[in-house]
Amino acid sequence: MGGVPIRPRRAGVAVAALTALLVSGCSTGPGRAGPAPSAPTSAPVATPTTTPGADPAARAAALVGTLGDEDLVGQVLMPYAYGSAATKVSPGSAAGNQALAGVNTPAEMIAKYRLGGLILVGFSADDPTKGNQETTNVDNPKQVRELTTGLREAAGRLSTGAAPFLIGTDQEYGVVTRISDGVTVLPSSLAAGAAGDPALTEAAWRAAGAELAAMGINLDFAPVADVLATRSTVIGSRSFGGDPKRVSAQVGGAVRGLQAAGVAATLKHFPGHGHSAADSHQELPVITQSRAALEAGAWPSFKAGIDTGTMAVMSAHLDVRAIDPGTPATFSHKLLTDVLRNQLGFQGVVITDGMNMAPAKRWSPGEAAVRALNAGNDLILMTPNVGQAYDGLLAALRDGSLPRARLVDAVTRVLTMKFRLAGQPAPAMSTLDDPAHRAAAQALAGAAVTVLRGSCGAPVRGPVTVTSSGGRDRTRALLTEALKAAGVPVAPSGGTVVHLVGYGDGAGDLRADAAVTVALDTPYVLGSAKSPTLLATYSSSGASMTALAAVLAGKSRPGGRSPVVVPELPATTCGS
């Protein structure tokens, strides 16, 4: 595998050994007040460890030894910011940044709090995560590249400037896709699970990783490693499916693809959000399964990603009753340290889920950040107040409630990941949506189309009338154009009805007169459909609509298998 070298166990051993040497070696001790947070004025400190080619863990440990308390605290914070540019923002964005962090611009936030990274945010209509997306700062690839360039220029003036600044986003594809215009859009993870070919998944995610890297993003909060053990709407098609073994293979493919392109992968949401149907953006979901059930059904996919070399794992706001009842996993030492670190062997960076989500807001931003670090997290994501989180961590470090060894260990892991990402040349912007990348996405989408009722690959009789549940005009238009390109006549009414249903739809969104009903998200709704032909694409991407049109035209055999069980329906009617 090319790109980022994956040496998780060696790096983990080095981090543990070097951290022990550094605990007493930081420049500002627990009883000595350092300078107030402010913009550094000097160039990054030159140390022998900044030499390209040196071991990332050794470089990280040596850099940590030069940092003061304020620098250490800043490196474990990864907030969001308002504004589509680093140094020039609208009055509304400035007001948002003032409320969040007491600054006007993202660049000022980086300088004041010496941040380790920043997450780029956004949302769309069907996005189940939109509840904690306070703003959007992604518009188009050119704007994103200019924003990330400005953020890195600001971070380069920090004392940690030798280590690449982390810029992340949730580019999962499917219903959670932050950047969609001007890039190659992959089908959803559930579609990849239906295709069942990890090599296709790896190729598609390698293309996606290259495009993220071209825009200046080096950390993707993906893939979702949750096994879909319930009909969870918040996870749903974000998962690769309901079978732990098949999901494990897909997770490995996605991790390999992303990290080969120089983008760190993040498994989420440990210890397994797919085992609860509740939404952690709104409440604390309860995981009722036994430990044995979780070991067999929820954790194999995380272990597969860890063994593949994932650089990061995201902890989840889940109440796992069998292990640490009443404590959200984000704040559970038993789950993050005893299970994730010690049992599953993960030695990379543990990142919290959004700390602006309801279960994390039972504590103040400062106390929540301290609790999360002490549990075993290394990066605090999307705190609801940057200043309060920063001050709380700094105070806890100095009064001993946040052990210095724990903070040094966290920062060393973060910097190790940064140095592993160093030296990866950013692809040219011309690589975005290029023909090879589109072909990879199309191959994955084509292999995913599944027939759950009806004949295998028989063409639909034209002309076709495409209908849909509400709010799917764009998808309907995509399919209409794809059908025309495939030689299928399309009529606005009176034709053979092909009806599309998607995220959030139920039996009331079906059409009794539809000859063909197509699920664009999880296929459960097809169990209530009366159409003689039932198909699933699991995705509404352009590639998925092109693949669907080819099946409807009789030009492609629908070879996918439903990756989740739909009662009364087979996984496919197209053979084994």
Side-chain angles (χ1 to χ4, degrees):
M1 183 182 70
V4 179
I6 306 299
R7 300 190 300 272
R9 298 191 184 279
R10 177 184 171 191
V13 171
V15 167
L18 288 164
T19 296
L21 294 175
L22 286 164
V23 169
S24 62
C26 297
S27 59
T28 306
R32 296 159 54 192
S38 60
T41 56
S42 59
V45 176
T47 73
T49 59
T50 61
T51 304
D55 180 75
R59 295 176 72 186
L63 180 54
V64 166
T66 71
L67 301 179
D69 290 355
E70 295 83 3
D71 302 306
L72 294 172
V73 166
Q75 284 301 294
V76 301
L77 293 175
M78 192 169 189
Y80 63 95
Y82 293 82
S84 58
T87 58
K88 295 181 180 180
V89 300
S90 69
S93 291
N97 288 324
Q98 281 290 337
L100 178 65
V103 298
N104 288 325
T105 70
E108 290 173 5
M109 192 184 301
I110 291 169
K112 180 174 182 178
Y113 298 104
R114 313 178 191 201
L115 297 177
L118 204 73
I119 178 174
L120 307 185
V121 293
F123 50 85
S124 58
D126 283 344
D127 185 350
T129 71
K130 61 187 176 184
N132 75 321
Q133 302 293 298
E134 304 289 345
T135 183
T136 180
N137 46 21
V138 293
D139 183 22
N140 61 72
K142 181 176 182 292
Q143 171 265 322
V144 171
R145 179 57 185 265
E146 290 174 352
L147 171 60
T148 60
T149 298
L151 298 176
R152 286 209 163 84
E153 288 175 352
R157 293 187 285 271
L158 302 177
S159 56
T160 53
F165 188 65
L166 293 177
I167 301 177
T169 199
D170 294 284
Q171 191 79 345
E172 298 175 12
Y173 301 97
V175 293
V176 178
T177 303
R178 299 293 181 241
I179 307 165
S180 57
D181 293 339
V183 301
T184 302
V185 177
L186 307 188
S188 70
S189 292
L190 200 62
D197 187 342
L200 290 178
T201 301
E202 180 176 347
W205 280 82
R206 185 188 296 255
E211 297 193 8
L212 288 171
M215 292 182 285
I217 295 167
N218 59 4
L219 173 60
D220 193 5
F221 298 116
V224 171
D226 302 318
V227 175
L228 197 58
T230 65
R231 292 196 180 190
S232 167
T233 56
V234 70
I235 299 301
S237 62
R238 301 164 67 193
S239 166
F240 288 105
D243 181 87
K245 185 176 180 180
R246 292 177 178 270
V247 171
S248 295
Q250 292 294 321
V251 167
V255 169
R256 284 190 297 272
L258 271 176
Q259 295 193 168
V263 175
T266 309
L267 307 181
K268 62 185 188 185
H269 309 79
F270 184 81
H273 209 315
H275 278 64
S276 171
D279 184 354
S280 60
H281 297 86
Q282 308 298 329
E283 59 183 309
L284 179 62
V286 175
I287 303 294
T288 59
Q289 292 86 347
S290 68
R291 181 172 187 138
L294 295 173
E295 289 176 340
W299 299 346
S301 51
F302 287 94
K303 179 61 173 171
I306 290 166
D307 289 347
T308 303
T310 187
M311 292 191 190
V313 172
M314 179 178 286
S315 59
H317 307 314
L318 301 171
D319 180 359
V320 184
R321 292 294 172 88
I323 297 173
D324 199 357
T327 303
T330 314
F331 306 97
S332 172
H333 189 275
K334 291 179 181 179
L335 281 159
L336 299 188
T337 300
D338 297 346
V339 175
L340 182 58
R341 293 284 191 212
N342 298 337
Q343 181 176 339
L344 301 185
F346 181 60
Q347 299 301 323
V349 174
V350 181
I351 307 172
T352 71
D353 204 345
M355 297 290 275
N356 60 346
M357 294 164 63
K361 293 172 75 173
R362 63 168 67 176
W363 300 286
S364 68
E367 184 177 355
V370 172
R371 285 175 177 265
L373 261 291
N374 279 331
N377 292 282
D378 304 303
L379 267 177
I380 307 299
L381 190 67
M382 299 181 75
T383 175
N385 189 287
V386 182
Q388 291 178 29
Y390 182 95
D391 290 342
L393 287 168
L394 193 59
L397 176 65
R398 290 174 174 167
D399 69 20
S401 55
L402 173 60
R404 181 170 297 274
R406 172 76 275 269
L407 181 60
V408 168
D409 174 65
V411 176
T412 304
R413 292 180 191 276
V414 170
L415 291 175
T416 297
M417 181 169 74
K418 290 184 175 189
F419 281 124
R420 290 179 69 194
L421 295 168
Q424 297 291 329
M429 290 289 283
S430 60
T431 195
L432 270 64
D433 202 28
D434 78 7
H437 292 178
R438 291 198 300 272
Q442 194 62 60
L444 185 59
V449 182
T450 306
V451 55
L452 292 90
R453 179 189 292 158
S455 59
C456 180
V460 67
R461 298 177 62 180
V464 166
T465 296
V466 180
T467 65
S468 70
S469 57
R472 308 201 184 279
D473 294 349
R474 179 180 178 277
T475 307
R476 198 166 63 246
L478 285 172
L479 178 58
T480 297
E481 292 306 310
L483 284 168
K484 292 176 180 178
V488 177
V490 179
S493 61
T496 300
V497 174
V498 174
H499 186 64
L500 309 178
V501 286
Y503 177 80
D505 289 340
D509 297 292
L510 298 169
R511 275 188 66 148
D513 64 340
V516 181
T517 299
V518 184
L520 308 176
D521 195 69
T522 55
Y524 303 121
V525 68
L526 296 181
S528 302
K530 305 303 181 184
S531 302
T533 299
L534 302 178
L535 296 171
T537 62
Y538 316 94
S539 169
S540 58
S541 71
S544 294
M545 293 305 96
T546 298
L548 174 60
V551 168
L552 293 172
K555 295 182 177 182
S556 177
R557 182 179 183 273
R561 294 178 58 85
S562 176
V564 294
V565 174
V566 181
E568 309 300 327
L569 292 175
T572 177
T573 61
C574 268
S576 58

